[in-house]
């Protein structure tokens, strides 16, 4: 199957491939099936093993966020071709929305079917009118994997505040780079291949809590956390421990979870 995506949209293939191939970290047969059907040279992404491992770890951690913090409404922003709803198997009655660009959702519909509880919305997340298509009020769990770094700071702030206003009492979990890493990400071979541009990074997670009353940091998780190493063999575990031994290295890429106020 041939696919045609913009530079930023093409980045959805990077985590898809990692989830399909890093079976020691994450079990995702749906990703493996999709990769087998897509006519794309994944080797051209030239991903180092560490990148593939950390992206699989990121997905596994965000899956766990959904399991640990059940909510009647889950918003999966920048969903791409990810099968999170299948991997976490939310409780019956949980309303789940997968949101991404219309072109991406059109592609997604080739592999996934909507149900009464699992719907798809084709929209840029920065066009907040998509929230009107969500059936439900009150607390929501928002997951944004590999998304916010491609936005500008003003867009990130506006999105977080819009989610806070529309779904009060909810939570948002996402991954973020530091500003130093953000400036250097254009050199990464995968991003050079796709041409995507990373714009936003954050050094102090508390900075986001100052955007508006009610925003509270609930968790900061790094790849130096012992839970990140689950499934790795002894040599790979030693490699990851050495890589993230220093605090400055541990915090270059992390997952942040915030409460969105009452």
């Amino acid at each position: 199957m041939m696919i045609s995506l913009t530079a930023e949209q093409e980045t959805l293939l990077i985590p898809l491939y990692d989830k399909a191939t890093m079976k020691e970290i994450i079990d995702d047969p749906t990703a493996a099936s999709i990769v087998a059907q897509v006519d794309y040279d994944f080797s051209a992404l030239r991903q180092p093993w560490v990148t593939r491992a950390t992206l699989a770890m990121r997905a596994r951690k965000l899956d766990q966020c959904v399991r640990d913090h059940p909510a009647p409404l889950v918003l999966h922003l920048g969903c791409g071709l990810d099968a999170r709803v299948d991997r976490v198997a939310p409780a019956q009655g949980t309303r789940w929305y997968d949101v991404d660009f219309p072109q991406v959702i059109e592609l997604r519909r080739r592999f996934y079917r909507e149900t009464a509880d699992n719907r798809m919305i084709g929209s840029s997340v920065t066009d907040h009118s998509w929230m009107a298509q969500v059936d439900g009020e009150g607390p929501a769990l928002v997951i944004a994997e590999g998304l916010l770094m491609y936005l500008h700071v003003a867009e990130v702030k506006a999105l977080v505040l819009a989610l806070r206003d529309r779904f009060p009492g909810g939570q948002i979990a996402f991954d973020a780079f530091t500003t130093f890493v953000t400036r250097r990400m254009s050199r990464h071979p995968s991003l050079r291949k796709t041409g995507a541009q990373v714009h936003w990074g954050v050094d102090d997670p508390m900075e986001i809590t100052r955007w508006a009353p009610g925003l509270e940091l609930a968790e900061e998780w790094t790849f130096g956390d012992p839970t990140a190493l689950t499934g790795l063999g002894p040599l790979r575990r030693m490699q990851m421990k050495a890589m993230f031994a220093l605090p400055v290295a541990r915090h270059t890429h992390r997952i942040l979870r915030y409460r969105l106020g009452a």
Side-chain angles (χ1 to χ4, degrees):
M1 178 186 300
M2 292 294 294
I3 59 174
S4 177
L5 300 168
T6 67
E8 284 73 20
Q9 294 166 10
E10 192 176 351
T11 60
L12 67 85
L13 297 174
I14 300 172
L16 178 71
Y17 180 71
D18 298 336
K19 292 163 191 169
T21 57
M22 300 299 290
K23 296 181 180 180
E24 65 270 41
I25 298 174
I26 190 167
D27 181 23
D28 195 335
T30 302
S33 174
I34 294 174
V35 164
Q37 297 177 62
V38 172
D39 183 10
Y40 186 85
D41 182 11
F42 288 95
S43 66
L45 296 173
R46 295 173 54 207
Q47 284 184 284
W49 179 87
V50 170
T51 297
R52 294 172 59 214
T54 54
L55 294 192
M57 292 171 182
R58 176 183 72 180
R60 184 173 64 184
K61 172 60 179 178
L62 289 172
D63 285 356
Q64 197 60 48
C65 283
V66 180
R67 297 187 186 101
D68 290 345
H69 305 282
L73 182 61
V74 178
L75 309 177
H76 187 193
L77 309 188
C79 60
L81 296 177
D82 183 77
R84 173 158 290 117
V85 67
D86 294 335
R87 293 195 304 270
V88 304
Q92 185 176 4
T94 299
R95 298 185 307 282
W96 186 294
Y97 288 84
D98 290 306
V99 184
D100 213 317
F101 289 107
Q103 185 180 8
V104 174
I105 292 298
E106 181 182 354
L107 177 62
R108 184 178 178 86
R109 291 183 190 278
R110 302 186 194 182
F111 303 101
Y112 299 91
R113 291 185 178 181
E114 286 186 306
T115 68
D117 292 328
N118 181 14
R119 307 301 299 274
M120 304 181 200
I121 298 176
S123 173
S124 167
V125 298
T126 60
D127 177 3
H128 303 159
S129 63
W130 67 263
M131 297 183 194
Q133 299 182 53
V134 175
D135 180 18
E137 304 289 339
L141 176 61
V142 184
I143 300 293
E145 177 184 357
L147 170 67
L148 300 188
M149 62 278 294
Y150 295 105
L151 307 182
H152 294 275
V153 60
E155 294 173 318
V156 176
K157 182 176 182 179
L159 176 61
V160 170
L161 297 187
L163 290 167
R164 171 183 173 273
D165 292 342
R166 174 66 175 82
F167 307 102
Q171 298 190 50
I172 182 170
F174 57 88
D175 60 311
F177 297 125
T178 60
T179 55
F180 174 77
V181 173
T182 299
R183 291 192 297 268
R184 296 175 61 86
M185 278 302 293
S186 61
R187 304 178 186 179
H188 193 282
S190 297
L191 292 190
R192 285 205 304 267
K193 165 64 175 67
T194 63
Q197 296 293 315
V198 170
H199 301 291
W200 178 69
V202 60
D203 296 322
D204 178 9
M206 295 304 294
E207 173 187 330
I208 294 171
T209 68
R210 295 189 283 271
W211 287 354
L215 293 177
E216 299 179 0
L217 178 64
E219 182 180 14
E220 179 181 9
W221 182 91
T222 75
F223 294 97
D225 190 287
T227 61
L229 306 179
T230 303
L232 297 182
L235 292 179
R236 290 301 192 186
R237 182 183 292 265
M238 186 181 303
Q239 179 183 358
M240 295 296 286
K241 280 185 176 181
M243 179 169 297
F244 294 109
L246 297 177
V248 65
R250 284 199 299 272
H251 289 81
T252 55
H253 187 192
R254 57 213 191 279
I255 290 176
L256 304 172
R257 182 169 55 85
Y258 292 86
R259 298 184 183 91
L260 293 174

